[in-house]
């Protein structure tokens, strides 16, 4: 089963954030992080100075088009041996940078607004998209605690979020995400397949030709 969602965004930037359902236990919080954009992006720069963005290799030997890094107690990594969480950045040999307080508070607030109080993420995956970059349909299932939700924050260029079903073959809906939109999913939708369509070229006042995505997870 898939769920359709209007692509329309509020015309007035001062319009209060709207909550739009994606499916059972899943919502889009429109504009929830919009006013925090500059501070969040500054923190991304500080994190990536300690653990630079890189293109991971999948277990099948493919190079991911998304560039990524992590912060928090755990970081998600991929190589020929598989997908996993690791407290050490394999590129630097050091622990991942600490999760900025603004990140942690945003994740907590967004989760609570979506009906998941007390969310305590220990990992934040930071993905950088350029025009043409995509993320194929997948499930977030490397976490040991699947009771906790996923909180995903969009910054910069708009993207088309692909929201599928519990089977890879389910046809996904196409959901337009703009700067500051936050998607939260858990409960019955925790293992829904999702992805990002190839990013369209554009220019954003804060990120230029890029889109940055913050994905918060509780791994244990």
């Amino acid at each position: 089963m898939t769920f359709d969602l209007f692509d329309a965004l509020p015309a007035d930037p001062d319009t209060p954030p709207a909550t739009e359902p994606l499916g059972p236990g899943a919502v889009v919080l429109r504009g929830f992080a919009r006013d925090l954009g500059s501070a969040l992006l500054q923190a991304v720069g500080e994190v990536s100075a300690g653990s630079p963005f890189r293109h991971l290799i999948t277990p099948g030997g493919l190079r991911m088009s998304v560039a990524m890094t992590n912060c928090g107690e755990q970081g998600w990594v991929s190589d020929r041996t598989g997908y996993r969480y690791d407290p050490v950045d394999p590129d630097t040999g050091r622990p991942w940078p600490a999760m900025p307080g603004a990140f942690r508070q945003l994740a907590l607030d967004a989760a609570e607004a979506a009906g998941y109080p007390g969310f305590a993420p220990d990992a934040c995956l930071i993905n950088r998209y350029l025009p043409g970059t995509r993320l194929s349909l997948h499930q977030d299932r490397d976490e040991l605690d699947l009771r906790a939700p996923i909180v995903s924050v969009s910054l910069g260029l708009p993207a088309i979020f692909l929201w599928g079903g519990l089977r890879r073959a389910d046809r996904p809906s196409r959901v337009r995400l703009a700067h500051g939109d936050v998607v939260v999913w858990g409960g019955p939708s925790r293992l829904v397949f999702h992805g990002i369509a190839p990013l369209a070229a554009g220019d954003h006042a804060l990120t230029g030709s890029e889109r940055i995505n913050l994905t918060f997870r509780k791994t244990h």
Side-chain angles (χ1 to χ4, degrees):
M1 179 181 295
T2 59
F3 303 89
D4 293 325
L5 189 70
F6 291 112
D7 283 348
L9 299 174
D12 183 351
D14 296 325
T15 300
T19 300
E20 299 178 357
L22 277 176
V27 297
V28 180
L29 304 174
R30 292 291 185 190
F32 193 87
R34 184 167 48 212
D35 294 340
L36 302 174
S38 294
L40 295 174
L41 290 166
Q42 180 177 342
V44 168
E46 294 168 357
V47 169
S48 62
S51 284
F53 283 100
R54 77 289 306 265
H55 294 272
L56 298 177
I57 302 299
T58 70
L62 300 177
R63 179 179 181 270
M64 295 179 64
S65 65
V66 173
M68 73 169 302
T69 186
N70 297 273
C71 63
E73 292 84 1
Q74 298 287 330
W76 186 85
V77 295
S78 171
D79 56 26
R80 288 280 194 168
T81 66
Y83 304 120
R84 64 190 182 279
Y85 284 98
D86 196 312
V88 174
D89 178 349
D91 281 14
T92 67
R94 300 189 300 268
W96 298 101
M99 188 182 301
F103 281 23
R104 195 177 299 275
Q105 189 62 51
L106 170 59
L108 174 65
D109 292 345
E112 184 168 6
Y116 299 97
F119 181 49
D122 56 7
C124 176
L125 286 62
I126 307 174
N127 287 343
R128 184 180 66 194
Y129 294 78
L130 296 174
T133 299
R134 62 189 292 270
L135 192 60
S136 59
L137 287 174
H138 66 281
Q139 294 172 303
D140 293 338
R141 59 182 313 141
D142 297 321
E143 301 74 34
L144 296 179
D145 185 357
L146 295 179
R147 298 169 299 175
I150 302 292
V151 175
S152 178
V153 182
S154 292
L155 301 171
L157 287 181
I160 300 300
F161 183 55
L162 304 175
W163 178 256
L166 296 176
R167 301 175 304 170
R168 187 183 296 275
D170 291 334
R171 189 172 75 87
S173 297
R174 296 170 63 87
V175 183
R176 187 175 189 271
L177 297 179
H179 174 73
D181 288 344
V182 180
V183 185
V184 183
W185 67 95
S189 293
R190 176 61 177 76
L191 291 178
V192 161
F193 280 88
H194 57 282
I196 294 290
L199 190 72
D203 184 73
H204 190 273
L206 295 179
T207 65
S209 61
E210 298 180 354
R211 172 183 184 258
I212 299 293
N213 175 249
L214 312 176
T215 301
F216 296 92
R217 304 178 184 178
K218 186 175 187 300
T219 67
H220 293 89

